[in-house]
């Protein structure tokens, strides 16, 4: 497709369940970012991939959060033993280059996670 | 996590009015960006600013990169109903960012335009 796609668009989980969120970046894009957007807030950085290498995971809130991009294209964000505070929209973004000067980050539509 | 200070939080205006919003940071950024987010969608880039003092326009939008590199503003002239949405500032690079382009966002300005 032409843009970044994410699936599922909506996910409802019971507290304690594990979830997996998928991101398909724009084809050929080297850099991939995950952001978490709580209700009424701006997105906050979670983690960054350059191809298959996870170069920064400093934004992951706890060790229950895990992300991977094994072949340097599709990425999965996994949350184990979900808690209510994990409820948020999870946004994926990609850009073409690994070093950004004027490069644009393109965002997907997000996955809205609700933990009951 | 760190977020930029964006104001106002919300604005209610009449169609045709001009709008101004701004963003400040305690850290220096190399790039300032303004995004718009519609319900159920991801942010879409409106304007990017790359040099301190730069003033850039995109149609009815005008944005400036503050001379101290710690602030930016966005103006929308002659607002129309489709301007409704949430506007976010974001900083990239510099002391407040990383070499690979992690974005730090403001809290957003919710814009409502009455016809």
């Amino acid at each position: 497709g032409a843009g970044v796609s994410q699936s599922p668009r909506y996910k409802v989980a019971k507290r304690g369940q594990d979830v997996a969120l998928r991101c398909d970046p724009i084809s050929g894009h080297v850099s991939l970012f995950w952001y978490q957007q709580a209700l009424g807030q701006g997105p906050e950085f979670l983690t960054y991939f350059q191809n298959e290498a996870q170069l920064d995971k400093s934004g992951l809130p706890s060790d229950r959060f895990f992300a991977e991009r094994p072949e340097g294209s599709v990425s999965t964000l996994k949350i184990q033993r979900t808690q209510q505070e994990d409820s948020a929209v999870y946004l994926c973004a990609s850009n073409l280059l690994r070093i950004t000067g004027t490069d644009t980050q393109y965002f997907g539509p997000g996955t809205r996670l609700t933990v009951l | 996590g760190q977020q930029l200070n964006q104001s106002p939080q919300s604005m209610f205006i009449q169609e045709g009015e001009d709008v101004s919003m701004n963003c400040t940071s305690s850290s220096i950024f190399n790039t300032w960006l303004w995004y718009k987010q519609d319900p159920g969608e991801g942010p879409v880039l409106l304007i990017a600013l790359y040099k301190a003092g730069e003033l850039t326009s995109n149609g009815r939008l005008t944005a400036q990169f503050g001379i101290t590199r710690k602030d930016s503003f966005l103006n929308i002239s002659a607002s129309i109903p489709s301007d409704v949405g949430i506007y976010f500032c974001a900083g990239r690079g510099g002391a407040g960012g990383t070499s690979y382009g992690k974005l730090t966002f403001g809290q957003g300005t919710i814009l409502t335009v009455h016809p």
Side-chain angles (χ1 to χ4, degrees), chain B residues 73-103:
Chain B
F73 72 74
L74 174 71
N75 287 340
I76 306 173
S77 63
S79 58
I80 59 178
S82 62
D83 291 334
V84 165
I86 306 176
Y87 291 79
F88 290 98
C89 61
R92 185 175 73 190
T98 62
S99 63
Y100 56 80
K102 171 181 98 172
L103 298 177

Side-chain angles (χ1 to χ4, degrees), chain B residues 49-112:
Chain B
L49 302 150
Y50 303 108
K51 291 169 59 175
E54 178 181 358
L55 184 71
T56 297
S57 294
N58 179 9
R60 293 179 298 105
L61 307 179
T62 301
Q64 184 156 32
F65 190 148
I67 198 71
T68 65
R69 296 167 63 194
K70 293 183 177 181
D71 63 304
S72 177
F73 72 74
L74 174 71
N75 287 340
I76 306 173
S77 63
S79 58
I80 59 178
S82 62
D83 291 334
V84 165
I86 306 176
Y87 291 79
F88 290 98
C89 61
R92 185 175 73 190
T98 62
S99 63
Y100 56 80
K102 171 181 98 172
L103 298 177
T104 300
F105 284 86
Q107 304 100 320
T109 296
I110 302 171
L111 179 62
T112 303

